[in-house]
Amino acid sequence: MAVYINSVFFMLQSLCNGAGNAAKSKYKLICTIDVVQCGVLDLGFRDVKAQLLACMKDGAVSHEERSSIDVKNLLATGQVTLDEVSEVIRAARGNHYRCSPHHVVDGIDVHIITINRGGTSWYIKWYFLEPQSIFISVHH
């Protein structure tokens, strides 16, 4: 599974509150942390989005079998195309994205985009099993 964010630099301003300029410059870039949650920062979403779009461009997509697939995964049933879904994903920003653990398989991050595009509310849900992206839901 890909690591979407290796590390994040951040400032701990509370350490510098009330300190002189020398202390502030000393702690300007204070540490690097490993991010264990996905989707924490917009940078993480950009990486996830880029990986998904690359999979779609290469045709490295599959669909999880599920009940009500005819209404829950319009991509799997051919009611929408990869190009249409790619355009929706390209339009998405970090505020349209969230991530949560897979409800059955430990260690798998499930990615979700909810966005209103062209007057249509989209719900796109997938996970990665390299080298593929596996769509769970694509519907509006």
Side-chain angles (χ1 to χ4, degrees):
M1 176 175 279
V3 176
Y4 305 124
I5 305 173
N6 292 328
S7 61
V8 174
F9 294 105
F10 70 99
M11 292 172 53
L12 293 177
Q13 294 175 345
S14 62
L15 291 177
C16 298
N17 284 347
N21 286 337
K24 286 182 181 178
S25 65
K26 178 180 178 184
Y27 291 107
K28 194 172 210 173
L29 184 62
I30 192 158
C31 64
T32 301
I33 61 167
D34 289 328
V35 175
V36 293
Q37 287 184 309
C38 58
V40 173
L41 299 174
D42 193 39
L43 175 65
F45 173 62
R46 283 193 296 265
D47 293 340
V48 168
K49 181 167 128 175
Q51 184 177 356
L52 178 59
L53 290 170
C55 286
M56 293 174 77
K57 180 181 175 194
D58 295 341
V61 297
S62 187
H63 305 279
E64 186 171 274
E65 291 193 28
R66 60 168 304 156
S67 62
S68 304
I69 197 164
D70 57 325
V71 294
K72 294 291 188 176
N73 195 334
L74 303 178
L75 183 59
T77 60
Q79 296 174 61
V80 296
T81 66
L82 277 175
D83 288 340
E84 288 174 289
V85 176
S86 293
E87 287 302 314
V88 172
I89 292 165
R90 277 188 195 84
R93 301 292 177 254
N95 61 318
H96 302 122
Y97 170 76
R98 68 182 190 272
C99 180
S100 63
H102 194 281
H103 67 284
V104 176
V105 183
D106 288 337
I108 298 288
D109 293 327
V110 175
H111 308 277
I112 302 166
I113 292 174
T114 52
I115 183 173
N116 190 310
R117 174 101 167 126
T120 303
S121 295
W122 286 85
Y123 182 86
I124 302 169
K125 185 176 184 179
W126 79 97
Y127 57 91
F128 295 108
L129 282 180
E130 291 193 24
Q132 293 200 347
S133 59
I134 314 294
F135 285 97
I136 301 168
S137 295
V138 178
H139 59 88
H140 47 71

